[in-house]
């Protein structure tokens, strides 16, 4: 023993025995029962029995303290202890077992064994709900004291902002979790009302009458309808097969699929369950998950009912994932709309390996969360390539089962017709885009430059002959009118390995007036050797039209800058513009309802040649086109223009209907920079 314990010696050792339960000798036969109640559905019973407060073993001060903590000082009918003293005790039942099929109440009487089946076995234990009530009373008093201290100097409550949120539609999985939660079970138990009972002691006459029901009342009848089983059936009733035990086994998580349980299902249900969980699967993998020896023909019949063929792989049907009368867990969109959107994504994957999510969302017009869920089920994101189909094309399956592939192709044709009517598109819209796209290639700038040089050397001789022939054809003076100079000057530019700078002369030989093409002018200049064989692509024309409808006025250097930014934003290898020269860019601008504004720059201007070439949208189909055309004509004559000159010119041309707001709007388009470094005219409308 340590030295510190010498002052606390052991006086006496006493052996104490603790009973885990109340001994049978201490019964409640002579105790006063105050009340009894039951919840039949829950098989829950509560009994209230009196406590002998006059017993020498009863601590009176402790009983008064407990009553004070539970009920407080007030006298109310709802008080737990009406005598201001803990004078009663509550017994609550718990289920001793959940499976009572193998239990019965037996009575042996006069050599006869009478068995009565049991529907529930309860064990009574002391309840301490009054302590919970005491704790809640204590917390209420503390909260009241704190609230009283903090609100003594306040005349009225402060106004607080309340945020209202609408709950999302509950999914089936969330509903199952909520039903199995402790709060939900407690709420359901509280909803069942108590049924009050009358207590009868063990030796009471009513109790004796009820015990008579434990004996069989039809002992003298000739026919016994109960004991008509064969010995084997009777043994099976006493010892049921082990398969019945799975009812009481714990259920695994909903997202875990047991292969042992799966193979007990019919073949069609096995295929449907697998496809619903995996979403996308090759046929070979599906056969590997099924039991060995399964007929592949039967599997093919089953899978065509729950999945569709996409690039040789099977993708689960939309109506299997989104049954009728359901909705999206993200946005609440009905299942019918979700199925149409997901079918469109699957149809696109039957023609392409990769999709862009923005393009899909723009057509099906569903929330981003739903579109992302569609793509995650059957594709993976790739850098600069959008969403790529999850699996590689299974050519082996298509070759091995051409009849199935043909049947699926016809099915997709029917789905395509429905989607075209719903989303208002045509298959050619996507095929044309696909045809104009080349396969992604990684070509460096040096390789492109080398290829351009080789192309120029190969075609130099033929181009030179063509140029000489055109010069000889254009040189005679017989075709020129009298009094005019019939000499046609063609600028001779050296053939170099790099792209030449653009011509900065005022006259543009494109068969147009002041750079604006006429209806019969060709796209390319036949008298310009740089335009020979070069045509602008539809994508370049769309880019120019969209750019000028947004900015209205741009110089050539700014157009080139915006075009380079657009090229940089495209995915790697996604180039549909080809080789674009400055001449091609100018010609495309002039054939996009634009016109060159020949601004008379001062000689001392330090603007470059591309910055001095200014183009403006001449016709856009708006009523404001006339105002803008008059403004452009003013800037063609003057480098700097005052506001009153613009207002006078507009009034002369359009009348007195020109308002101050029209002029302000027009001036936002024509904010002139003196240096003309980036743009001559800024646009904001």
């Amino acid at each position: 023993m340590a030295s510190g314990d010498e002052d606390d010696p052991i006086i006496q050792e006493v052996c104490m025995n603790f009973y885990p339960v109340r001994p049978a000798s201490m019964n409640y036969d002579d105790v006063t029962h105050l009340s009894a109640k039951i919840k039949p559905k829950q098989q829950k019973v509560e009994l209230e029995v009196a406590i002998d407060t006059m017993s020498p073993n009863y601590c009176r001060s402790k009983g008064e303290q407990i009553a004070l903590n539970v009920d407080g000082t007030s006298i109310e009918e709802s008080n737990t202890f009406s005598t201001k003293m803990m004078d009663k005790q509550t017994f609550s039942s718990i289920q001793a077992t959940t499976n009572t099929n193998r239990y019965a109440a037996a009575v042996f009487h006069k050599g006869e064994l009478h068995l009565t089946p049991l529907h529930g076995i309860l064990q009574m234990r002391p309840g301490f709900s009054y302590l919970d009530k005491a704790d809640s009373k204590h917390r209420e008093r503390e909260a009241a004291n704190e609230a009283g201290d903090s609100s003594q100097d306040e005349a009225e409550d402060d106004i607080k902002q309340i945020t209202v949120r609408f709950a999302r539609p509950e999914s089936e999985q969330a509903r199952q979790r909520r039903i199995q939660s402790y709060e939900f079970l407690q709420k359901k138990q509280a909803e069942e009302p108590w049924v009050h009972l009358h207590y009868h002691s063990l030796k009471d006459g009513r109790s004796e009458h009820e015990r008579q029901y434990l004996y069989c009342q039809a002992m003298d009848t000739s026919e016994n309808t109960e004991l008509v089983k064969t010995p084997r059936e009777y043994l099976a009733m006493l010892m049921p097969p082990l398969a019945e035990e799975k009812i009481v086994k714990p259920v695994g998580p909903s997202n875990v699929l047991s292969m042992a349980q799966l193979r007990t299902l019919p073949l069609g249900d096995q295929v449907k369950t697998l496809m619903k969980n995996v979403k996308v699967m090759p046929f070979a993998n599906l056969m590997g998950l099924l039991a060995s020896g399964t007929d592949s023909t039967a599997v093919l019949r089953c899978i065509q009912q729950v999945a569709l063929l996409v690039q040789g792989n099977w993708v689960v049907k939309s109506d299997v994932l989104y049954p009728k009368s359901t909705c999206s867990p993200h946005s609440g969109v009905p299942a019918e709309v979700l199925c149409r959107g997901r079918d469109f994504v699957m149809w696109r994957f039957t023609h392409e390996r990769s999709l862009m999510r923005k393009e899909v969302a723009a057509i099906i017009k569903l929330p981003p969360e739903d579109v992302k869920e569609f793509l995650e089920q059957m594709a993976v994101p790739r850098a600069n390539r959008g969403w790529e189909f999850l699996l590689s094309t299974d050519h082996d399956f298509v070759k091995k089962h051409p009849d199935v592939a043909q049947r699926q192709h016809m099915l997709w044709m029917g789905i395509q017709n429905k989607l075209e009517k719903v989303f208002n598109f045509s298959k050619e819209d996507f095929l044309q885009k696909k045809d104009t796209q080349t396969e992604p290639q990684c070509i460096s700038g040096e390789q492109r430059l080398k290829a351009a040089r080789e192309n120029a050397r190969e075609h130099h001789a033929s181009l030179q002959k063509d140029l000489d022939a055109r010069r000889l054809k254009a040189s005679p003076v017989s075709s020129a009118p009298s009094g005019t100079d019939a000499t046609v000057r063609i600028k001779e530019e050296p053939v170099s390995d790099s792209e030449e700078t653009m011509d900065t002369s005022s006259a543009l030989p494109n068969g147009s007036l002041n750079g604006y093409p006429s209806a019969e002018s060709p796209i390319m200049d036949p008298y310009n050797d740089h335009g020979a064989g070069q045509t602008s692509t539809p994508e370049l024309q769309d880019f120019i039209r969209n750019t000028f409808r947004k900015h209205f006025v741009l110089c050539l250097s700014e157009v080139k800058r915006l075009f380079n930014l657009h090229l940089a934003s495209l995915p790697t290898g996604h180039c549909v513009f080809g080789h674009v020269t400055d001449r091609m860019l100018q010609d495309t601008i002039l054939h996009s309802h634009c016109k060159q504004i020949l601004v008379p720059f001062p000689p001392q201007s330090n603007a470059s040649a591309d910055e001095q070439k200014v183009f403006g949208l001449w016709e856009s189909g708006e009523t404001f086109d006339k105002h803008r055309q008059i403004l452009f004509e003013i800037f063609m004559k003057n480098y700097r223009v005052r506001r009153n000159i613009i207002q006078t010119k507009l009034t002369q041309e359009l009348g007195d209907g020109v308002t101050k707001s029209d002029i302000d709007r027009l001036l936002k388009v024509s904010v002139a920079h003196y240096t003309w470094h980036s743009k001559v005219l800024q646009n904001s409308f």
Side-chain angles (χ1 to χ4, degrees), residues 133-166:
K133 186 177 180 181
D135 291 340
S136 62
K137 286 277 188 181
H138 179 68
R139 288 192 293 267
E140 290 177 0
R141 286 194 293 268
E142 288 185 349
N145 294 335
E146 293 179 359
D149 296 339
S150 61
S151 61
Q152 287 180 356
D153 300 332
E154 296 180 2
E156 58 183 9
D157 296 338
D158 296 335
I159 299 177
K160 296 182 180 180
Q161 183 178 0
I162 299 176
T163 302
V164 180
R165 295 182 179 179
F166 296 94

Side-chain angles (χ1 to χ4, degrees), residues 626-657:
K626 187 61 177 178
H627 299 68
R628 192 165 52 250
Q629 292 171 7
I630 295 174
L631 178 67
F632 291 164
E633 293 175 354
I634 294 175
F635 273 105
M636 291 179 187
K637 300 177 182 179
N638 300 280
Y639 174 69
R640 295 181 180 178
V641 183
R642 294 183 178 274
R643 179 188 176 95
N644 57 354
I645 296 177
I646 298 175
Q647 184 175 0
T648 303
K649 185 66 174 177
L650 290 173
T651 304
Q652 293 176 356
E653 296 291 337
L654 303 177
D656 297 334

Side-chain angles (χ1 to χ4, degrees), residues 60-309:
R60 192 176 185 86
S61 61
K62 190 64 176 178
E64 292 176 351
Q65 183 64 41
I66 292 176
L68 180 62
N69 294 340
V70 174
D71 298 329
T73 58
S74 61
I75 301 176
E76 299 177 359
E77 294 182 359
S78 60
N79 287 351
T80 304
F81 306 109
S82 59
T83 60
K84 295 298 180 181
M85 185 181 300
M86 184 179 176
D87 56 355
K88 61 181 179 180
Q89 186 179 9
T90 302
F91 291 91
S92 299
S93 67
I94 62 170
Q95 290 186 352
T97 179
T98 57
N99 186 11
T100 60
N101 295 332
R102 297 186 178 183
Y103 295 92
V107 178
F108 190 76
H109 179 67
K110 295 181 181 181
E112 299 173 351
L113 180 62
H114 300 261
L115 299 178
T116 303
L118 300 178
H119 297 284
I121 302 175
L122 305 180
Q123 181 184 10
M124 305 300 295
R125 291 184 178 182
F128 302 96
S129 58
Y130 60 89
L131 295 180
D132 297 335
K133 186 177 180 181
D135 291 340
S136 62
K137 286 277 188 181
H138 179 68
R139 288 192 293 267
E140 290 177 0
R141 286 194 293 268
E142 288 185 349
N145 294 335
E146 293 179 359
D149 296 339
S150 61
S151 61
Q152 287 180 356
D153 300 332
E154 296 180 2
E156 58 183 9
D157 296 338
D158 296 335
I159 299 177
K160 296 182 180 180
Q161 183 178 0
I162 299 176
T163 302
V164 180
R165 295 182 179 179
F166 296 94
R168 290 184 175 181
E170 187 179 28
S171 63
E172 184 63 24
Q173 295 180 353
R175 179 178 174 273
Q176 292 296 334
R177 290 194 297 268
R178 180 176 59 83
I179 292 176
Q180 297 176 3
S181 64
Y182 176 77
E183 291 80 7
F184 183 81
L185 295 178
Q186 290 293 104
K187 182 180 178 181
K188 294 295 290 184
Q189 291 179 2
E191 289 178 355
E192 184 180 0
W194 286 102
V195 178
H196 292 274
L197 307 174
H198 295 284
Y199 176 80
H200 297 274
S201 63
L202 183 63
K203 299 179 181 180
D204 189 78
R206 181 60 184 269
S207 299
E208 183 65 26
H209 177 73
E210 292 292 332
R211 278 196 294 271
Q212 295 299 321
Y213 288 106
L214 296 176
Y215 300 99
C216 181
Q217 305 298 322
M219 293 297 295
D220 299 334
T221 58
S222 59
E223 295 184 1
N224 192 337
T225 58
E226 297 294 333
L227 301 178
V228 294
K229 303 294 183 180
T230 63
R232 184 178 297 276
E233 292 175 345
Y234 180 68
L235 183 61
M237 292 174 61
L238 292 179
M239 298 294 295
L242 296 178
E244 297 182 2
E245 294 292 333
K246 65 181 181 181
I247 300 176
V248 297
K249 289 183 179 180
V251 180
S254 59
N255 60 342
V256 176
L257 184 63
S258 172
M259 296 302 296
Q261 296 179 0
L262 177 68
R263 291 179 179 177
T264 60
L265 302 175
L267 181 60
D269 294 340
Q270 293 185 42
V271 174
K272 181 178 180 180
T273 305
L274 286 172
M275 292 305 304
K276 192 173 181 180
N277 281 268
V278 182
K279 308 293 191 305
V280 183
M281 190 188 311
F283 185 74
N285 291 12
L286 177 62
M287 293 298 299
L289 292 174
L290 299 175
S292 59
T294 305
D295 185 14
S296 60
T297 305
V299 177
L300 279 174
R301 286 197 299 266
C302 295
I303 197 173
Q304 293 182 69
Q305 298 177 5
V306 297
L308 293 171
L309 192 66

Side-chain angles (χ1 to χ4, degrees), residues 423-521:
F423 297 116
N424 193 19
F425 71 90
S426 61
K427 182 180 178 182
E428 288 72 16
D429 297 340
F430 303 105
L431 295 181
Q432 182 180 2
K433 180 179 179 181
K434 180 181 177 182
D435 294 338
T436 57
Q437 295 179 356
T438 58
E439 292 295 330
Q441 298 179 357
C442 297
I443 302 176
S444 62
E446 295 180 358
Q447 293 175 344
R448 292 183 178 181
L449 183 59
K450 184 178 179 180
R453 290 176 178 175
E454 293 177 356
N455 189 25
R457 293 190 185 98
E458 292 177 359
H459 297 82
H460 173 64
S462 60
L463 293 176
Q464 187 65 35
K465 292 180 181 179
D466 191 13
L467 177 61
D468 294 340
R470 291 176 181 176
R471 287 177 177 175
L472 293 175
K473 184 178 180 180
S475 58
V477 297
S478 58
S479 59
S482 60
T484 59
D485 186 7
T487 302
V488 180
R489 292 185 178 182
I490 300 177
K491 183 179 179 181
E492 298 183 6
E493 299 177 356
V495 178
S496 60
D497 295 335
S498 60
E499 175 64 24
E500 74 283 349
T501 58
M502 294 179 58
D503 183 14
T504 58
S505 61
S506 60
L508 294 179
N510 59 356
S512 61
L513 178 61
N514 195 15
Y516 185 72
S518 60
E520 53 275 338
S521 63

Side-chain angles (χ1 to χ4, degrees), residues 390-402:
L390 188 62
L391 302 176
S392 57
T393 305
D394 191 354
H395 298 286
D396 295 338
F397 177 84
V398 177
K399 294 178 181 178
K400 188 176 180 181
H401 304 280

